[in-house]
Every structure is written in structure tokens, then in C-alpha cells.
Amino acid sequence: MITAEKHARSSGRLGLLLGLCLATAGPALAQAPLDSLGGITGRLQRYEQRGPQEKLFLHLDRPVYLSGETMWFKVYAVDGTHTRPLALSSVAYVEVLNAAQQPVLQGKVALANATGQGTFVLPAALAAGSYTVRAYTSWMKNFSPESYFHAAVTVLNPAMASGAGSRDSAAYDARFFPEGGNLVRGLRSRVAFKVTDKAGRGIAADGKVLNQNGTVVATFKTLRLGLGSFAFTPAAGSDTYTAVVTLGKNRVLNRPLPRPYEQGYVLRLDQSGADQLTLQVEGSSTQPETVFLLGHSRQKTAFATRLQLVGGKASFVVSKAALLDGVSHFTVFTADRQPVCERLYFQPPRHPLALTARPDKPQYTTRDKVSLQVSAADAQAPVAANVSMAVYRLDSLTTGPAPAIDRYFWLTSELGGRVENPDYYFTATGPEATEATDNLMLTQGWSRWRWEDVLATPKPFEFLPEPNGPVIQAQLTQPGTRRPQKGVIAYLSSPSRLVRLRNAQSDAQGMVRFEMNSFVGPREIILQTDPAQDSTAQFTVLNPFSARYAAAAQPAFGLTPRFQADYAKRHLQVQVQNVFAGRYRNRFAPEHVDSLAFFGKPSETYLLDKYTRFKVLEEVLREYVPGVVVRIRKDGFHLMVVDKLNNTILSENPMVLLDGMPVFNINKMMAMNPLKIQRLEVVDGRYFHGPTAYNGIVSFTTYKGDLEEFPLDAHALAQQYDGVQRQREFYAPRYDTPQQQQSRLPDLRNLLYWNPEIMTGTAPRPLDFYTGDQAGRYLVVLQGLAANGLSGSSSFVLEVKPAL
């Protein structure tokens, strides 16, 4: 509920939250000269202070599902600079998108202490294919949708298991990326390239670059995962260049190189030593000129310097120790602060979070107990970390590993394109790994991070954070004209036995915002205005989910004929589990509900079943409720509350509520059958509620909290609205006793164990679960985040043998 009084408190909390977020950025940021580089670093610092970067990561329980199964996930929220837990938002929006980028499932997940957990039950009719799970917060909607979390999953539909499909292997692509962003005639550049199939996987290739006369001016060959680079100097004049890419023996692609500029700049990065980098800037003009060079890691300034180009050249040496772990950006600006070149560099985390889970046996049998000791440590000692763990069966349908939290935060979330096999860039060493990593940074081209947004005049953010639950937004307009209604008090209620009422005043655009703390599950909401102030306003509830989508291509999908037996087997397993364990699917954790009404403890409470029941509400009030005076005037009934504190009677109608819904027509309320009312509460004084003040409150509550078919105002809007998800409880059978061991109920679980909330400390955390009836190999996956920003992931395989 965002009201005048509470909005001020919310704004204060928001300012405090943003201040705390910035405090975690560390002292190094403050050391950057505020007005250096003609004000560029100052604008960067102000941009970060005004709009802290928020990131989400989802640990998905597995990469492949059958329709009808449950998808489990854990949400981690961090600040984008140091990846420390960030409690800025209390709601995460999670969606499952199909190949056409249309949402097929949507949910709101509650976040507490920067984490949350949720589920999706995949519909039985969901078509087989590749899907994208994406997640974001309200605050993240102010920025590019590429900054949302994205992960690809595969869904198999049993109805299609007998069909066949295949990937279109005829579609290939080759793209070329000049280092720094541009080719300039007469300046030597390094050009990276990326060759992929339709699924986005890198493939081996070689080729040559031809000028418009057909002369070979450069040759190239992929190094790893379809990536490579070559040196090239565009000639002066009007030459255009074409790359001829050879794939195998009989396939050739022709692709134009980016057209060279007549004038401009190039930026080259050389790893001149084990501990330093050399950045070389070269311009097409031979006249002395000044350029600015700025290096930053996720908006934290590492260095800022002026360079004097002499003979069109200048260089600068950077210590790797000055850069944060992960991706850093080096940007060249002209003297008038225009960005002209940018280069990316990746430094693997020097002190990752080490997660371990030690099993008590080298292998297990079916229906056997598995005991693990889970711990987290940094380079020095064990640390407290928030960890999630999944254990699922490896089979021929497993497509590959799910995203890892450290790979995502340090690498893939900072790049605009798809990163194939990110593990390689964290674990491989040697010259080839260094060159392959450089090729990856080169093929990202210009970053999706926009300097135009930093250097432009700040604009108000459209979307605010949600620190205290989901915010319902609606617009008030005039019917027919759709003209926004300004300054109108709107009321939102959700009828129930828990009396909750929110109000807000519309702004110049007719927008009202209601902060809905403790709003769980699908509920009916009712929006209305007081007819005495406005009886014509029309409400439109806004969709809180983002309507913008990233441009990343969906991976190709096809059913493989040789796996038809595996599809059928997995389908059978799902069906058996649904029959014998389906009753455990919808077990939810108990909700902690505050039963106190929004107005606190009432002055008077009447449980009407304790009194002689009357059939007319007027008689009930006159006989039993001395704190409410009933008057009849020309327009009908009026109620007046006795202000006992000031020993007076308030002359205007109080706020009358039925199951938390405002009733402005007192005649309709007095016509209600009092036998449907279980409780009556009175607040016997003026009550200030946000931008309004009530002349007391008279609250009626029915037995079921469902309004008992009370007629709504003709201009009220009633509709279903989803709050945050209820939290499902993961079910796994136990076989502690001989009787349980000998149970004839089949146990064909694919997902043996899921625990999204494992807190580690100085001592290992013990966990245990049981295997099912399927022998095979099971992958144990751990993801975790420590309070200091260290993140880590690990996995190992459990062997389960058939029981003898």
C-alpha cells in the first residue's frame, strides 16, 4: 500500500536501501576523481549511485523435463558490481518462454534476504521444444532485457515421443568483429570471427579475405568452439572486403566484412606480461590530439587517464590487480566525450567459493541411504554460504549442464551473446586458453552496456523497486476519452476474513500504486473510488511482467529417432510417479499470516453469535453497538461514530468495510442480512490512512470472508490477480525401516533430491536422502553464494547399482 504517509516511509526505506547498496561498492570507487576525463568518471559514478545494478541467478533443478513434471528453482539476487547479496527487491518475476518469445508460464516469487524459491508445474499439453526461463525484478525493467537472467531448458512431450525430428544442419552463420568496434583504413586491426550452426554451436572452419579485385589479403582459421581471429589492415581507397569461409569440403559461406571508415580510431590489447596489459590507441590523424581512456569493471572505475596521441599513437599499461574479477571494459573517448572504441577483457575469479559434498560411500544400491557432508570455503577457511543442491539422473536425454552461478555472474551475464562451454574459460590454462578467451571477448563486439545512457541527462526511472512485496499498478481514466484522472483517491481490497485495505492517490498520468505485502496466491482484488469524489473513473490494472524481450536466438530443437525408446521409458516413469506420488505434488509450506487488521486493534469488537440475533442490521447496531449512532435522513441511512477520546460524535459517515472492502452506500450495507455477519469491529476516532482520514471505521466480517453475494458498486473493478507463489515442499520417500524398504510402491524418481536452502558454516552441514528403484548415474549439483560476494558451483556423480 503506497499512501502519502507510508510513501514517505517507503521512499526513506528505498533511499536507505540504495545507500546501503552503494556502501557495499567499496572504497575504491570513491577514489576515482569525480571530475576527471572531462566529467566522464563523475557521470559514471553518479549513474551507478542513481541506478545500482541488480542481477538475478536461477538454479534450476535440471536441464530436461517432461511435460507434467515440476520445475524447481532457487533465486539468488546480488548487486551487479561485487555480486554480494542484495535485498533491494522482494519479488522476482519468472517466466518460461517458447521459441516465439511468448510466455507459457509466469510466476511471482517472494524474495527474503536476497533469495527465494519457486516452482512451475509444466502442463501436460505443453509442446515439446526448447524453452527459455527468464527472471527479473521490477527495478531491472528500467534496463535492457538482455540484463535479465536467461537459461535454456528442454521440454519433452510424451505425446510426441514416438515422432521424429531433426535439427536443420544446413543453416550456418559467420560473423566478424573488429577489435575496438571499427575498421579504419590504413590502421592495422585484429578481427575476430565466430562460425556457428543453427543451434548456435561453434564449428571448425577456415577461410580467406578477398578485396574487391579478388586478391587474398588475409587468411584465418578457427581456434576453438568456432572462434578465431586474424590481423588485417584495410587499404586506403574504396576497397570492400569479403570473407570466404570454408566448412568441411563442400560448403562455403561468403560474408562481407564491416565496411572500413575513412577516419577514426582503433584500440588494441596485448597481454604484455603475466601481471599487466598494454592498451594501444591509434588514430588516423597524424596531428597531436587528446583522447580519454577509461577502464571499469561493472561500473567500478579501475583507471581513468588522458592520452596524447603523437604521430597518431599512444599506449597505456594496466596492472591486472587493479581490475575486478570477471569482465572489464576499456573505452576510448574523444576530447568531446564521444565513445569511439571499446574492448572487453576477462579475468577469472582469483578466489572462488569452493563447494564440496562428501558422500559416505563410493557407491550405493537402490533404496539406499545417501549421507553427504556439505561445506563451503574460500582460500583461507570455511565460510557461511547460502547453498542449493539438486540430484537428478543422467540418461541419454540429458542435454548438458545447467548454468553455474559463478560462470553466470563473472562471465555470461556481462556478455550479450551466447557463451558456449563457459567452464573452459574458468579452468583451462596456457597460451591456447588465453587466446581462446581473448577471441571470446573480441566476438562480443560493443557491449550491451550503453554509454549513451551514462552521459545523457538523467531521466526519472519508470519502475521502482519493490522492497515490501509486489506492487499492483492501475490507471484511472475517463470512460470513452481515456484521459488520465489526476488526484483521485483509489481503494484496493481483497475480500477475506483478514481485513486489508490499501489506498493511493492518482498522479498526473492517472497511475495509482498499491504495495501488497503478504499477498500470496491467486486472489480476487476490487478497485473502486468513493462516488462522492469521483463516480465515473475507469480502472485498468497493468501487467507487471515485462513486455520487452532479448534478441538472443532460441536453440534449435528436434526429437531424435534413436531415442524413441528412451522417450517412452521416461514417459512411463513420469506416469507411474504421478499415479503413486501425485498426492504429494501440491504440499505447501504453512504460511505465516498476520491476522491483525490494517487498522490495528479495534476499539470495540462484537462477536454477534454471542448476542440475540436480529434479522435487521439497524436493530443490531442500535441494540448492541453504542459506539455507532444510526441516523435516517432524506437520502437514507447514515452512521456516526462516537469519538470517546474527545467526547464527541463524528458527524460524517465512517469508513464502512465488509470483509475489508469499502462500502460507500450505507443503504446497501444496512440492507444486508445480519445473520451472514460473524464479527463487527469499530475504531472510535479519526483514523489517518495514507492520503485520507476516516471518521472512524466500522468493519463487518462474514463467516467465510467472501462478501456473501453483496452487490458491488457498478463502477468497481473486480478481477483475479496472482500474488507471489505459495511455496511447495519437495517430497522424497524415505526407507528408514524394513517395512519401508519392502514397500511395493514403485519409486521411479528422476529428481532424487532438491534442497534450495542449505546454510553452511564453520562445520560441514550433514544431509541425507534415499535413492529410488532406478540404478544408474546421478549428478549432484551444488550452487552457492557467500555474504562477501564469493560464488561457486560444483558437481559429482553418484553411482547407484541394482540391489542384489
Side-chain angles (χ1 to χ4, degrees):
M1 164 176 53
I2 297 182
T3 60
E5 176 185 358
K6 193 164 183 179
H7 179 69
R9 296 197 299 268
S10 297
S11 300
R13 287 195 299 268
L14 177 58
L16 177 61
L17 277 170
L18 296 180
L20 290 174
C21 297
L22 295 170
T24 64
L29 180 61
Q31 294 171 3
L34 185 62
D35 295 319
S36 64
L37 302 194
I40 294 175
T41 54
R43 287 179 180 266
L44 177 60
Q45 182 175 346
R46 285 190 290 270
Y47 181 81
E48 183 196 15
Q49 291 175 343
R50 182 172 174 270
Q53 188 181 11
E54 186 178 28
K55 285 185 181 181
L56 297 185
F57 174 80
L58 264 61
H59 177 189
L60 302 172
D61 61 319
R62 48 196 155 157
V64 179
Y65 304 88
L66 257 69
S67 55
E69 288 188 319
T70 300
M71 175 189 295
W72 303 79
F73 54 86
K74 164 78 171 282
V75 184
Y76 294 87
V78 302
D79 82 271
T81 301
H82 296 276
T83 71
R84 294 170 185 150
L86 178 63
L88 177 64
S89 299
S90 63
V91 181
Y93 296 88
V94 185
E95 301 177 279
V96 178
L97 309 179
N98 62 16
Q101 300 228 50
Q102 297 172 333
V104 296
L105 291 167
Q106 294 179 317
K108 306 180 187 79
V109 178
L111 301 179
N113 300 318
T115 64
Q117 51 184 292
T119 57
F120 284 126
V121 176
L122 304 181
L126 187 63
S130 291
Y131 290 82
T132 296
V133 179
R134 75 168 185 168
Y136 49 90
T137 65
S138 173
W139 179 251
M140 292 171 66
K141 291 193 293 183
N142 292 301
F143 308 99
S144 166
E146 277 78 12
S147 66
Y148 302 169
F149 172 84
H150 294 83
V153 297
T154 300
V155 175
L156 303 174
N157 191 323
M160 299 177 62
S162 59
S166 62
R167 300 182 188 273
D168 181 5
S169 60
Y172 295 90
D173 191 24
R175 300 177 64 192
F176 293 83
F177 306 85
E179 184 173 19
N182 302 310
L183 291 174
V184 180
R185 296 192 183 278
L187 301 183
R188 186 172 180 81
S189 295
R190 188 177 171 194
V191 179
F193 61 93
K194 182 177 184 179
V195 184
T196 58
D197 60 15
K198 183 179 180 180
R201 296 171 303 200
I203 56 175
D206 56 33
K208 53 192 175 183
V209 177
L210 308 179
N211 63 14
Q212 60 190 24
N213 297 322
T215 303
V216 176
V217 295
T219 60
F220 54 84
K221 184 178 182 179
T222 55
L223 175 67
R224 183 178 177 83
L225 300 174
L227 305 179
S229 61
F230 59 91
F232 173 58
T233 304
S238 59
D239 268 0
T240 58
Y241 299 92
T242 301
V244 180
V245 185
T246 303
L247 311 170
K249 296 181 179 180
N250 301 316
R251 191 177 301 279
V252 175
L253 298 177
N254 292 322
R255 293 290 186 270
L257 261 61
R259 190 174 184 86
Y261 287 87
E262 297 296 330
Q263 303 287 327
Y265 304 85
V266 297
L267 172 64
R268 292 192 296 273
L269 184 149
D270 294 321
Q271 302 207 35
S272 51
D275 301 319
Q276 61 185 23
L277 307 171
T278 299
L279 294 165
Q280 298 180 352
V281 182
E282 188 172 357
S284 53
S285 174
T286 58
Q287 297 298 318
E289 61 176 316
T290 299
V291 297
F292 300 144
L293 179 61
L294 175 69
H296 73 90
S297 304
R298 299 179 297 282
Q299 300 176 207
K300 177 183 180 297
T301 301
F303 65 86
T305 185
R306 288 177 171 82
L307 295 179
Q308 188 73 23
L309 298 187
V310 178
K313 298 180 180 180
S315 63
F316 184 75
V317 177
V318 182
S319 170
K320 294 181 181 180
L323 306 174
L324 290 180
D325 293 342
V327 176
S328 295
H329 299 241
F330 306 126
T331 310
V332 177
F333 298 83
T334 60
D336 57 354
R337 300 187 303 185
Q338 294 300 311
V340 291
C341 293
E342 186 162 271
R343 177 69 152 87
L344 276 60
Y345 171 76
F346 175 68
Q347 183 165 250
R350 286 157 281 197
H351 303 292
L353 182 69
L355 298 178
T356 58
R358 296 191 303 273
D360 60 333
K361 300 178 186 178
Q363 65 181 36
Y364 299 86
T365 60
T366 55
R367 299 199 176 188
D368 197 2
K369 184 177 182 179
V370 179
S371 295
L372 301 176
Q373 297 288 327
V374 178
S375 61
D378 60 12
Q380 287 79 32
V383 296
N386 195 319
V387 179
S388 49
M389 186 174 80
V391 183
Y392 61 91
R393 189 170 185 266
L394 295 171
D395 56 25
S396 59
L397 305 183
T398 304
T399 56
I405 187 170
D406 49 343
R407 277 47 168 167
Y408 178 77
F409 284 146
W410 298 122
L411 180 62
T412 59
S413 66
E414 292 295 310
L415 304 179
R418 179 180 179 229
V419 178
E420 188 176 355
N421 189 18
D423 286 354
Y424 174 81
Y425 304 102
F426 285 76
T427 58
T429 58
E432 181 177 323
T434 300
E435 184 178 356
T437 303
D438 219 29
N439 289 336
L440 176 68
M441 295 298 103
L442 286 165
T443 53
Q444 295 308 309
W446 281 82
S447 169
R448 65 187 182 207
W449 197 74
R450 291 168 46 88
W451 273 107
E452 291 83 351
D453 297 334
V454 177
L455 301 177
T457 301
K459 298 179 180 178
F461 287 113
E462 181 179 359
F463 303 99
L464 296 177
E466 297 175 314
N468 301 300
V471 173
I472 295 179
Q473 297 189 76
Q475 187 178 34
L476 279 75
T477 56
Q478 291 181 348
T481 65
R482 305 296 297 172
R483 181 180 300 170
Q485 295 278 66
K486 178 184 177 181
V488 178
I489 304 296
Y491 300 87
L492 185 149
S493 57
S494 180
S496 75
R497 289 181 55 81
L498 302 177
V499 181
R500 303 283 187 266
L501 177 66
R502 284 89 174 174
N503 61 18
Q505 188 171 29
S506 60
D507 60 18
Q509 288 74 44
M511 299 296 299
V512 287
R513 297 170 177 85
F514 305 94
E515 194 173 76
M516 307 294 292
N517 53 332
S518 302
F519 192 74
V520 180
R523 302 273 295 276
E524 181 184 44
I525 59 172
I526 298 174
L527 292 99
Q528 56 188 322
T529 59
D530 184 348
Q533 182 190 19
D534 188 295
S535 61
T536 63
Q538 184 176 22
F539 286 95
T540 302
V541 177
L542 304 187
N543 185 353
F545 290 92
S546 175
R548 298 187 300 154
Y549 299 91
Q554 187 76 256
F557 171 80
L559 297 175
T560 306
R562 71 175 185 274
F563 292 146
Q564 288 184 8
D566 299 290
Y567 298 144
K569 181 179 179 180
R570 182 78 177 272
H571 174 35
L572 175 63
Q573 295 166 357
V574 172
Q575 296 301 313
V576 169
Q577 283 300 113
N578 287 342
V579 169
F580 290 99
R583 65 183 182 276
Y584 300 110
R585 169 181 288 185
N586 291 323
R587 298 198 318 173
F588 295 94
E591 296 180 38
H592 302 286
V593 179
D594 182 4
S595 60
L596 191 66
F598 76 94
F599 48 76
K601 185 178 180 180
S603 308
E604 304 170 17
T605 300
Y606 301 90
L607 301 178
L608 298 186
D609 285 337
K610 294 183 177 182
Y611 301 84
T612 301
R613 302 304 300 258
F614 293 100
K615 295 183 179 180
V616 179
L617 188 56
E618 179 185 358
E619 294 182 355
V620 173
L621 294 175
R622 290 187 186 275
E623 290 293 330
Y624 303 133
V625 189
V628 178
V629 178
V630 180
R631 293 285 186 266
I632 301 178
R633 300 172 183 168
K634 292 182 179 180
D635 57 348
F637 286 99
H638 286 259
L639 303 180
M640 295 180 290
V641 169
V642 177
D643 186 348
K644 296 180 181 178
L645 180 64
N646 297 302
N647 194 25
T648 185
I649 296 178
L650 301 176
S651 60
E652 300 296 330
N653 284 325
M655 170 57 74
V656 178
L657 303 172
L658 177 62
D659 292 334
M661 181 192 74
V663 179
F664 298 104
N665 189 329
I666 306 299
N667 293 329
K668 290 171 64 176
M669 187 68 244
M670 298 299 286
M672 185 173 182
N673 185 351
L675 298 180
K676 296 180 179 180
I677 298 173
Q678 189 260 344
R679 185 175 70 242
L680 168 60
E681 296 171 315
V682 179
V683 176
D684 62 1
R686 286 178 62 82
Y687 185 85
F688 294 87
H689 187 206
T692 62
Y694 309 139
N695 291 293
I697 298 174
V698 179
S699 175
F700 300 93
T701 304
T702 63
Y703 287 89
K704 296 181 180 179
D706 60 357
L707 300 181
E708 288 284 358
E709 300 181 348
F710 185 85
L712 300 181
D713 184 270
H715 297 284
L717 172 66
Q719 72 174 60
Q720 286 291 314
Y721 192 89
D722 288 335
V724 297
Q725 289 187 349
R726 294 184 63 190
Q727 187 174 311
R728 275 189 173 84
E729 291 184 326
F730 181 79
Y731 168 75
R734 298 187 66 86
Y735 301 105
D736 296 311
T737 66
Q739 291 79 8
Q740 292 171 327
Q741 286 277 350
Q742 296 167 11
S743 171
R744 298 178 62 183
L745 293 178
D747 183 358
L748 302 180
R749 288 172 294 146
N750 178 269
L751 180 66
L752 285 185
Y753 187 70
W754 167 253
N755 190 337
E757 200 67 25
I758 304 171
M759 301 303 297
T760 67
T762 56
R765 169 78 181 273
L767 297 174
D768 63 77
F769 58 90
Y770 283 82
T771 61
D773 291 339
Q774 295 189 91
R777 302 169 68 245
Y778 289 82
L779 188 65
V780 180
V781 180
L782 295 99
Q783 313 263 22
L785 178 68
N788 61 3
L790 294 181
S791 59
S793 59
S794 66
S795 62
F796 65 94
V797 174
L798 290 178
E799 294 283 351
V800 178
K801 301 294 183 181
L804 299 178

